[in-house]
Amino acid sequence: MPGLLCLVPTPIGNLGDISPRAREALTSADFIAAEDTRVTRKLLNYLELKKPLVSYYEHNKHESGPKIVERLLEGQTCALVSDAGSPAISDPGENLVRLCADAGVTVCAIPGPCAAITALSISGLPTGRFCFEGFLSTNKKNRQQHLDGLRGESRTMIFYEAPHKLRQTLGDLEAAFGAERAISLCRELTKLHEEVIRTTLSGARTLYSEQEPRGEYVLIVAGAAPEAPEAPTEEQLLALVREQMAQGLSRKDAVKAVSKQTGCAKNALYDAALKADNS
């Protein structure tokens, strides 16, 4: 009978955020698949656990993934962790989940720390609708295509960025979305020097041209403002007035109704309707 792959979220900074259920999953697993075994070993030491570790990360996923699945098909249980946060989110764990799904191995996920949601919740920007965009590509063409596809995005956008790439990314975001687009830069979340900077893209670029970026960043960028609908032409307004009059309203009441519906100036519309009827 196949075993189980359990996705175990790990603290994004504060080790105290590990949950009892996450600890239980790590304790009961036959082995742990880790993005960086050195980072995971520190967590295990904190929890006073000793477990076999296997390496599973972006550059060995195609080799390591099938080997992990083989062990799961033998009936073993694997806890999958990333260095911080929820595995399989902007993380090679998604490939391992797909392999397990194809092989008929059960996958479970334990809720827990996630930098994207933590940052969004304290950003001060709209949270009702958002999209997670992860890390922008380092390839210039791919990065440009990614940002071009987001120019009209009205939802709040979430990006991850490393400190040494922050300045370039802020410049690219400003070029794509405009200098006055709102942004919240959330750094060192849950750690001693946690900071949230709420400003504009131009303000952020100016700030970090004067000071060195430090720590891992989550960038929360406001979505595009909805485009104002085009104002109806005089011909369209007059057509609406005629529709109202055909339903039995007087010219005056028809103009009043259309003015309320469209926001156009009532007196100017009445004069236009009178002129059109008399021509």
Side-chain angles (χ1 to χ4, degrees):
M1 182 176 178
L4 172 73
L5 177 69
C6 186
L7 310 186
V8 181
T10 55
I12 58 177
N14 189 324
L15 292 178
D17 290 336
I18 191 77
S19 72
R21 188 177 171 206
R23 178 173 184 152
E24 180 183 350
L26 293 173
T27 301
S28 61
D30 293 306
F31 68 101
I32 298 172
E35 183 178 4
D36 186 328
T37 56
R38 295 166 299 181
V39 173
T40 300
R41 192 167 283 112
K42 291 179 182 178
L43 175 63
L44 294 180
N45 289 339
Y46 172 79
L47 297 173
E48 298 181 342
L49 294 176
K50 289 186 177 181
K51 283 289 172 178
L53 294 170
V54 298
S55 178
Y56 179 82
Y57 59 98
E58 181 64 31
H59 298 297
N60 80 343
K61 63 186 180 184
H62 297 300
E63 177 185 356
S64 182
K67 293 180 180 178
I68 293 172
V69 173
E70 284 182 18
R71 296 178 66 173
L72 293 171
L73 289 172
E74 292 171 357
Q76 297 186 46
T77 295
C78 173
L80 174 67
V81 299
S82 64
D83 288 349
S86 298
I89 303 300
S90 194
D91 175 87
E94 67 175 297
N95 294 80
L96 184 56
V97 171
R98 189 179 303 114
L99 288 176
C100 288
D102 292 341
V105 174
T106 300
V107 180
C108 74
I110 296 175
C114 177
I117 299 303
T118 301
L120 177 66
S121 66
I122 60 176
S123 68
L125 292 172
T127 62
R129 298 180 69 234
F130 60 91
C131 55
F132 176 68
E133 300 298 326
F135 288 97
L136 289 169
S137 173
T138 55
N139 179 280
K140 187 175 181 180
K141 181 179 179 182
N142 292 343
R143 171 181 284 238
Q144 190 61 55
Q145 288 177 342
H146 189 166
L147 291 174
D148 285 345
L150 293 173
R151 289 184 187 276
E153 177 58 67
S154 60
R155 295 171 294 181
T156 301
M157 295 170 281
I158 306 173
F159 298 90
Y160 285 163
E161 196 51 277
H164 65 283
K165 298 177 183 176
L166 181 67
R167 288 170 173 160
Q168 178 66 50
T169 293
L170 290 175
D172 291 341
L173 292 175
E174 182 178 349
F177 305 135
E180 298 309 309
R181 184 72 67 90
I183 181 174
S184 290
L185 301 95
C186 306
R187 58 179 291 274
E188 296 294 271
L189 291 171
T190 76
K191 300 178 184 178
L192 179 63
H193 299 293
E194 175 177 304
E195 181 181 32
V196 180
I197 300 170
R198 301 179 181 91
T199 182
T200 61
L201 286 171
S202 63
R205 189 172 54 80
T206 299
L207 174 66
Y208 283 105
S209 67
E210 300 170 351
Q211 70 180 50
E212 194 70 24
R214 297 184 184 279
E216 299 298 318
Y217 286 81
V218 183
L219 309 177
I220 312 295
V221 182
E227 294 185 7
E230 291 186 10
T233 63
E234 182 177 290
E235 182 178 342
Q236 292 170 327
L237 291 171
L238 291 175
L240 292 174
V241 170
R242 287 192 288 271
E243 287 178 10
Q244 294 290 336
M245 292 177 67
Q247 295 176 23
L249 293 182
S250 66
R251 181 186 294 108
K252 180 179 179 180
D253 289 340
V255 166
K256 184 178 180 180
V258 172
S259 175
K260 184 177 181 180
Q261 175 187 343
T262 63
C264 67
K266 183 169 58 176
N267 292 340
L269 179 57
Y270 184 87
D271 291 343
L274 185 61
K275 181 179 179 180
D277 288 346
N278 292 333
S279 60

